Amino acid sequence: MAPKPSERSHAAAVRIEWQTVLPAPVISVAATPAMSRIVAACVDGRGHALDATGAPLWVFATDKELWAAACAADGATIAFGSASWNPADGAVHLLDGGGNEIARFELGMPVWGLAFDRTGTRLAAASWGNECRLYEQDQGHWRETHRIGLEGAGAYGVRWIGESILAVVCYGRGVAIYNAVGEALADYACDTVGYNIAADASGNLLVGSSKPLLVGISRSGQLIARPVAGGSRALAAVATLDDGSLHFAGGFDGRVRALTPSGTRLWEIDLTGEIWSCAATPSGKQLVVGAGDGAVTLLANDVGVDVLRELDARAGELERDCANLPPVSAYRAFLDVAARHGLYRYALDFLEEESGAGRIDETTHAALIEHLGDACPDGHGDCPAISYERGRHRQRDGRPWEAAAMFLQAARSPALRLQAYSAAAGEFQRAGHQAAALACFRRAREPSFTADDLRLVYTLARTFESKGELAVARDHLDTILVQDPQYRDVASRLGQVRGSMANGAGTPPDYEGFNVHLLGPDGPGAEVDPRLHAVVAARAREMSVSDCERAGHVAVMEQLFASGALTPRAAVNDVTYDTSAYVKYDFLLPEDDVKKKLEAVNLIGLVKRVEGARATLDVGTATGRYPGILQGLGYRAHGIDISAEAIAYARSKFPPDACPDLRVGDVRQLPYSDAQFDFVSCMMGTFYHIPLGDQARALAEMARVCRPGGIVAISTWDLECPHQTFLSMYSVKEEELIVRNSRSVTELEMLFRETGFDEVGAIRIGLVPDTISYDLGIETLDQTGLRRLLEIDMAARAATPKKHGQMFIAHGRVV
């Protein structure tokens, strides 16, 4: 539990001063204004007090979980909120500065939020019983004074505004404002608010959200929800300076960000665990963060009010300076202020905004990027992004060798790896270095685990452990152990799981569904009190894949296995031409078969969305796989392909009296009448075999032959996936050609909309690297193995709906 000093030595906008790892996930942290006393509430029922260096002072223990912590400004009084899932229970525990309990108030419901007023003599407690209770110190004794009934899916964060106003977060409903005697003053509706709340000295509020949004409520009552750049999960932790000039937000994606009131990102730091809570000094120079990996981290922030004021002043003078100075000279002064405080990414974003608005031309932008790159020290986290921009300008100037070198520097960042290596490949090819180009193209698609992948697999391990599927949990922990033996508590947790398996631990009941376990590794592990079901179900809706959808996909998978559709069938007749390519597709390697099977499950799930569907068409059917699957499920299945050899091979796989309607034809002029089919598909990247200039015409033809209310679906490769491997049967040159003819997820969705489709969307597939199947010990994709991989895919999609997978199915409903 001893604090670890930071290993970072170069100047940066933010740095870790120390980190103390506690034995269990930290749900709440609180601190005195100068961080001389820090308290943390953990789910193992222990409350910890730390000093300014992160060293432990004392530990308070209860027989329940602890979800809430509060600390009076003088550190003389501390409060913890306890919680129990079954039976629903909770209490407020008041302690003196030495950790001795001086009062306890039973609430009978889990306590999520606690807040002292500025004097430390009044305390507010918010509970999952949709209630806020007020307590007051009177002549050294604490007593309850008021109870406030609330609406929503549980009361979460609570905060005093000034001396006598109270703000309470009602999950999924909004923020309610009361006075010190419990009288309602105002109510602000917002269905995404949740978790914690902060307030500046003027009474402006900053509220966490169940989405990657930062919700602000001004003192005048104006509510603004802003997307957070790069955010993918709920933002549970929020803090703000006394003057409101700087906000901090931490999310379940493990990242903490500093933001201006307008939402501009100043800096971002990635920590290991889900961020649940944070507290800042009034000046914002220090920020303490509590996370799901048990870490309490003290961050030193170099961006203070003085820095923000200077940046604002410099930005305001740019227009005047540009009238008297060359634009490069005028902007350099601004960049130098940002660089001096380590705000390189902020400066880069600023230049992009100025360029996009037409205030600086391309030549000026290039010169300023060079200046910023020269100022950024090697090893700084923002270096790769700047290198990528430097490479882009060299690419524009026709200097391929120099551009490639910059792109290779940018490829050091996992976030830029795919696009940087791909760009380097293009430049090497222009320079005549074909071997280097192909090497870069191959490296761009080498499987690798990111921090987000590890976080997901760890959460899944805890999920399966909670559900009693210990062997599956063990396999997931083994996977993490290979990737990073020091990750969280993976080694000790493996020992616990093995011990439970040896003792024959049974499977606990699943009270609410799979999704709620995915919210974090500290979610409930057993059946909960029915009184909490509405609260837990509301939080489960943070996931973008519902339990109902998940159950539907599992049912589809079981149906496909039962029908034999997921078992490759050998050709029943000989054919006279070379069929090696089609045979390779029918009998792919396991990592390729994962894509095929996941694609099939998701596609049949889409077919089932069309009410009364009977007739289907598969365009570019090649081996006849989908007509065979759909016919086996009772549909009138048709297939078409431009290759006569492909159709001959596909027909050879079926007895003559049981063959789907397979014919030769061109998608750009389909030989079918209007509205003949209920569902039209074009699968496994076939759409990108159509020239880019003909793709709109092809999609329009698919829409024409599909009836109103029917669905058209196109499955293809996601070029933005950092672990993209395509199919092993493709050569590197073939992969390169596919890339040249491809569209991104956004671009293909846009093509659907331009063609007139409604309910356009995309289902992402293969969201973790192929190697996961081997790491989990899945050697054959039988029903059990595929279910594991399907669970991983749906979990990744549920938690991070914008995460790029190897494939996606773009779809739209015909109007």
Side-chain angles (χ1 to χ4, degrees):
M1 209 168 77
K4 297 187 298 184
S6 168
E7 296 178 358
R8 301 183 68 174
S9 57
H10 58 260
V14 61
R15 68 182 186 279
I16 296 176
E17 282 200 4
W18 53 256
Q19 189 174 80
T20 298
V21 181
L22 302 177
V26 178
I27 300 299
S28 180
V29 291
T32 56
M35 297 285 176
S36 59
R37 174 70 53 88
I38 297 168
V39 293
C42 295
V43 297
D44 63 354
R46 288 173 169 78
H48 299 261
L50 311 173
D51 68 12
T53 69
L57 295 174
W58 47 259
V59 179
F60 169 74
T62 72
D63 59 352
K64 299 179 179 67
E65 297 183 4
L66 289 184
W67 292 359
C71 183
D74 60 2
T77 313
I78 288 145
F80 288 112
S82 64
S84 172
W85 297 95
N86 193 21
D89 201 1
V92 173
H93 304 264
L94 280 155
L95 286 67
D96 62 21
N100 304 299
E101 189 172 68
I102 56 176
R104 178 189 298 189
F105 298 96
E106 300 291 340
L107 277 72
M109 277 286 181
V111 177
W112 177 271
L114 291 170
F116 284 103
D117 70 356
R118 291 184 179 179
T119 67
T121 59
R122 282 187 294 196
L123 176 72
S127 81
W128 277 12
N130 280 326
E131 192 177 56
C132 184
R133 298 194 188 186
L134 306 183
Y135 305 93
E136 194 170 296
Q137 188 183 48
D138 183 18
Q139 297 182 348
H141 297 283
W142 286 87
R143 62 185 179 88
E144 181 182 317
T145 58
H146 300 91
R147 296 187 183 188
I148 304 171
L150 303 164
E151 296 179 14
Y156 278 68
V158 60
R159 184 70 56 183
W160 289 96
I161 308 171
E163 297 298 325
S164 58
I165 307 298
L166 190 68
V168 188
V169 177
C170 304
Y171 188 96
R173 185 179 180 275
V175 176
I177 309 296
Y178 296 87
N179 62 19
V181 295
E183 296 171 336
L185 300 178
D187 191 79
Y188 303 107
C190 181
D191 60 5
T192 68
V193 298
Y195 303 104
N196 296 307
I197 185 170
D200 64 22
S202 298
N204 301 302
L205 301 176
L206 188 68
V207 191
S209 173
S210 59
K211 304 293 182 185
L213 300 170
L214 198 64
V215 179
I217 303 174
S218 69
R219 187 177 182 182
S220 62
Q222 183 183 16
L223 188 149
I224 301 175
R226 293 186 177 91
V228 171
S232 60
R233 296 287 307 276
L235 292 178
V238 291
T240 187
L241 274 59
D242 261 8
D243 66 357
S245 62
L246 183 65
H247 300 330
F248 301 104
F252 291 167
D253 59 2
R255 294 170 176 84
V256 182
R257 301 167 178 88
L259 306 162
T260 66
S262 63
T264 301
R265 177 176 51 180
L266 293 165
W267 54 253
E268 177 177 297
I269 187 169
D270 191 355
L271 303 177
T272 306
E274 296 81 6
I275 309 302
W276 284 95
S277 177
C278 66
T281 58
S283 66
K285 288 293 184 181
Q286 290 181 315
L287 178 74
V288 64
V289 179
D293 61 353
V296 176
T297 305
L298 189 72
L299 298 175
N301 167 47
D302 190 40
V303 185
V305 177
D306 52 345
V307 177
L308 295 172
R309 286 176 179 169
E310 186 173 359
L311 286 170
D312 286 343
R314 288 288 186 182
E317 294 168 359
L318 279 173
E319 185 176 354
R320 184 200 66 192
D321 291 347
C322 286
N324 302 310
L325 296 169
V328 171
S329 300
Y331 275 87
R332 274 183 179 176
F334 176 84
L335 295 182
D336 289 342
V337 175
R340 189 161 62 248
H341 298 282
L343 297 174
Y344 300 102
R345 182 72 215 198
Y346 165 75
L348 185 62
D349 291 343
F350 179 81
L351 289 179
E352 290 300 308
E353 184 178 334
E354 294 293 286
S355 179
R359 288 187 283 270
I360 56 176
D361 59 28
E362 193 76 7
T363 301
T364 302
H365 185 265
L368 294 171
I369 290 293
E370 289 299 311
H371 181 73
L372 190 62
D374 290 342
C376 188
D378 290 339
H380 192 282
D382 295 336
C383 256
I386 297 173
S387 294
Y388 186 84
E389 286 301 308
R390 296 175 91 173
R392 192 178 65 79
H393 284 296
R394 284 161 171 75
Q395 183 183 51
R396 185 204 64 172
D397 294 341
R399 295 183 284 168
W401 184 258
E402 295 178 28
M406 284 295 170
F407 287 138
L408 289 177
Q409 290 184 36
R412 298 172 186 172
S413 164
L416 291 170
R417 183 172 174 270
L418 173 65
Q419 64 193 92
Y421 268 128
S422 298
E427 293 309 295
F428 278 129
Q429 193 166 46
R430 287 186 185 88
H433 295 268
Q434 187 64 21
L438 293 177
C440 285
F441 190 82
R442 185 174 62 252
R443 285 186 174 87
R445 284 155 178 83
E446 287 176 349
S448 62
F449 265 68
T450 66
D452 288 335
D453 293 330
L454 285 173
R455 194 176 289 119
L456 172 71
V457 175
Y458 181 84
T459 301
L460 278 168
R462 294 296 306 271
T463 298
F464 286 115
E465 182 184 356
S466 296
K467 290 164 64 66
E469 299 181 36
L470 300 179
V472 182
R474 177 202 59 201
D475 292 346
H476 283 70
L477 291 169
D478 282 344
T479 298
I480 299 169
L481 191 67
V482 171
Q483 297 288 334
D484 183 359
Q486 305 301 317
Y487 190 79
R488 295 199 184 186
D489 61 345
V490 63
S492 61
R493 187 153 295 283
L494 262 171
Q496 294 176 28
V497 169
R498 284 196 298 266
S500 298
M501 292 174 68
N503 294 330
T507 302
D510 187 7
Y511 65 92
E512 189 60 42
F514 192 80
N515 268 345
V516 69
H517 298 271
L518 299 176
L519 289 166
D522 36 58
E527 187 173 12
V528 302
D529 191 313
R531 290 178 292 168
L532 300 181
H533 279 190
V535 178
V536 176
R539 281 192 60 205
R541 286 193 288 273
E542 288 178 19
M543 301 289 101
S544 60
V545 176
S546 68
D547 279 314
C548 181
E549 184 178 348
R550 170 184 166 270
H553 278 67
V554 171
V556 166
M557 181 201 70
E558 292 171 349
Q559 182 184 20
L560 290 174
F561 269 104
S563 68
L566 295 185
T567 304
R569 65 175 83 190
V572 297
N573 297 312
D574 291 332
V575 286
T576 58
Y577 50 85
D578 182 9
T579 60
S580 60
Y582 303 124
V583 172
K584 282 181 182 177
Y585 178 79
D586 272 342
F587 298 93
L588 290 169
L589 295 175
E591 61 266 32
D592 297 330
D593 209 23
V594 170
K595 303 179 186 73
K596 285 177 61 179
K597 286 184 165 62
L598 290 176
E599 180 195 62
V601 171
N602 282 279
L603 181 74
I604 302 306
L606 266 178
V607 176
K608 291 181 179 292
R609 292 190 196 177
V610 181
E611 188 175 352
R614 294 289 182 268
T616 67
L617 171 66
D618 186 45
V619 174
T621 195
T623 64
R625 177 170 181 254
Y626 279 108
I629 289 175
L630 290 161
Q631 179 175 266
L633 296 177
Y635 296 96
R636 296 195 303 274
H638 301 69
I640 190 168
D641 200 286
I642 199 169
S643 168
E645 290 83 2
I647 292 299
Y649 174 77
R651 287 173 177 163
S652 75
K653 296 164 60 177
F654 302 94
D657 59 346
C659 185
D661 184 324
L662 303 173
R663 65 179 71 177
V664 178
D666 191 333
V667 66
R668 291 166 294 191
Q669 192 171 357
L670 291 171
Y672 303 105
S673 59
D674 294 355
Q676 186 173 338
F677 303 102
D678 304 300
F679 190 92
V680 179
S681 60
C682 183
M683 307 306 290
M684 196 57 73
T686 300
F687 193 71
Y688 290 165
H689 295 175
I690 303 168
L692 272 173
D694 291 339
Q695 288 178 3
R697 180 181 172 188
L699 184 56
E701 272 292 277
M702 286 188 271
R704 179 184 65 79
V705 302
C706 188
R707 70 165 170 84
I711 289 177
V712 173
I714 295 173
S715 165
T716 192
W717 307 105
D718 189 343
L719 304 183
E720 298 173 87
C721 175
H723 55 269
Q724 179 61 263
T725 57
F726 297 106
L727 294 177
S728 58
M729 62 182 282
Y730 294 157
S731 69
V732 175
K733 288 184 178 180
E734 287 171 328
E735 292 173 2
E736 189 181 19
L737 289 173
I738 291 171
V739 169
R740 291 182 188 177
N741 209 33
S742 298
R743 298 174 189 259
S744 68
V745 180
T746 303
E747 289 168 344
L748 191 51
E749 286 182 317
M750 187 179 300
L751 184 61
F752 266 85
R753 292 189 179 94
E754 290 171 350
T755 309
F757 285 88
D758 194 10
E759 299 179 30
V760 174
I763 300 170
R764 300 166 191 249
I765 301 170
L767 281 79
V768 293
D770 290 335
T771 53
I772 190 72
S773 58
Y774 294 110
D775 292 345
L776 290 176
I778 301 172
E779 297 177 3
T780 59
L781 280 180
D782 57 12
Q783 188 166 332
T784 300
L786 181 61
R787 178 163 182 169
R788 286 195 194 182
L789 296 174
L790 182 62
E791 296 281 20
I792 290 171
D793 229 40
M794 286 191 292
R797 197 160 75 233
T800 52
K802 297 300 182 183
K803 182 177 174 66
H804 291 283
Q806 295 204 45
M807 301 186 72
F808 65 94
I809 304 178
H811 57 87
R813 197 174 291 273
V814 178
V815 178

